[in-house]
Amino acid sequence: MNQSSGSENLSCVEAGCSDAYLVDYLFELNGYLIIKGAVGAEDIAEMNAWADAHWHYMDCAQRGGHASRTDGAWIGRVETHTYSDADGINFQNIIEAGAVFERHIDHPSWIEHVRRWINPHNGLSLHETLLNIRGRDGYIGIHCGGHIPCSYMTFRQANTGEWMVGQINCITALEDIGPGDGPTTLIPGSHKATIPHPKLTGEEGSRTYRSDEAAGIALGMRELYLEAGDVLLFTDTITHGSAARTRDGFRRMLLYRYSPRWIRSRFNYAPSPELLERLTPERRQVVDPIPLRSPPGA
Ligand SMILES: O=C(O)CCC(=O)C(=O)O
Ligand SMILES: [Fe+2]
């Protein structure tokens, strides 16, 4: 067993860990897995260079004065966006931003785990791909949990017990993310919870998807610290979010969400013909899992 020792994370292995049993056990038990050193320094530098080159979009005025949602600016096929303002800027559809982001689609450090956990019966698709930059006081509120009846918040097939993870979030740290940097937080094991987190119940026992309260201070949350190049995989079913950033400066991360091929992508960006042309057949199948059909000549 070559689980990293000395880590404060419950669920952590080195890149290239060949102990598939351990990898599966940790992911099943805790609902997340950190792969240390998953992405090489050159790729991390290239992605950071892209962020640096587009830093002026952090200024709202540069995005046409829109602060929120998907009404931001377009950089080719990449669109600026935010979920709630507090969560910072998302460069959505980042797979269109160059080769390094294409390599990420089926990166050998995690792709076979993701295929296995979603289950080969379900194929694979990308639900959302983004590069996120978040400044001081930014955060994501506590959200999700096993109590939400959402089609992609599955983890096991109830009848057979086989893997059937409806969504796996893959966060790549573009720089070190430690205490005060607004790390991702989650409650280990909460993907199996049937009782909602106390912050996710409403009036008369109703169940809510998301609270506006920063996830970091919620009961049971753990902050997950990453070094640049580490990757955090977690089922979207797990109760999670991020701590508020208490330091100056910005947190940078890349987020790719994988789902079964049957699930539509979140914002339905049409892949550019140039991207489809460039992709290997394996990547193309993930980016365009069910190509549109039209009659000849249409
Ligand atoms: O920003 C974060 O650290 C958490 C992002 C998140 O909620 C997600 O990946 O689903
Ligand atoms: Fe989330």
Side-chain angles (χ1 to χ4, degrees), residues 180-197:
D181 291 331
T184 305
T185 64
L186 53 73
I187 303 176
S190 56
H191 56 305
K192 297 179 186 173
T194 53
I195 298 179
H197 188 280

Side-chain angles (χ1 to χ4, degrees), residues 5 33 42 46 63 78-79 83 95 164 173 230 251 288:
S5 57
L33 185 76
E42 278 180 25
E46 218 173 307
R63 304 195 304 275
V78 174
E79 189 180 26
Y83 282 107
I95 50 167
M164 198 174 74
D230 292 352
R251 191 195 78 163
D288 192 22

Side-chain angles (χ1 to χ4, degrees), residues 5-73:
S5 57
S7 164
E8 47 203 344
N9 288 310
L10 295 172
S11 218
C12 191
V13 297
E14 297 292 335
C17 171
S18 56
D19 191 337
Y21 189 92
L22 175 72
V23 165
D24 282 359
Y25 181 73
L26 291 174
F27 183 71
E28 144 77 14
L29 179 68
N30 296 308
Y32 78 97
L33 185 76
I34 291 171
I35 304 179
K36 299 292 297 173
V39 179
E42 278 180 25
D43 280 8
I44 295 297
E46 218 173 307
M47 294 190 278
N48 273 312
W50 190 94
D52 291 339
H54 297 89
W55 200 260
H56 48 288
Y57 287 98
M58 296 300 293
D59 175 2
C60 171
Q62 296 284 337
R63 304 195 304 275
H66 299 298
S68 61
R69 318 297 175 241
T70 50
D71 54 3

Side-chain angles (χ1 to χ4, degrees), residues 36 77 103 123 132 138 166 227 243 270 282 295:
K36 299 292 297 173
R77 297 261 177 167
R103 287 198 288 279
N132 171 264
E227 292 172 295
E282 291 77 18

Side-chain angles (χ1 to χ4, degrees), residues 148-211:
I148 306 282
C150 171
S151 64
Y152 56 75
M153 292 197 197
T154 55
F155 194 76
R156 287 283 196 186
Q157 216 275 14
N159 297 331
T160 64
E162 286 192 61
W163 290 114
M164 198 174 74
V165 184
Q167 189 159 288
I168 298 171
N169 300 324
C170 175
I171 287 183
T172 304
L174 297 184
E175 54 187 18
D176 295 354
I177 302 173
D181 291 331
T184 305
T185 64
L186 53 73
I187 303 176
S190 56
H191 56 305
K192 297 179 186 173
T194 53
I195 298 179
H197 188 280
K199 291 286 177 194
L200 297 175
T201 53
E203 283 173 17
E204 294 167 12
S206 67
R207 296 157 174 230
T208 46
Y209 167 78
R210 186 177 185 282
S211 147

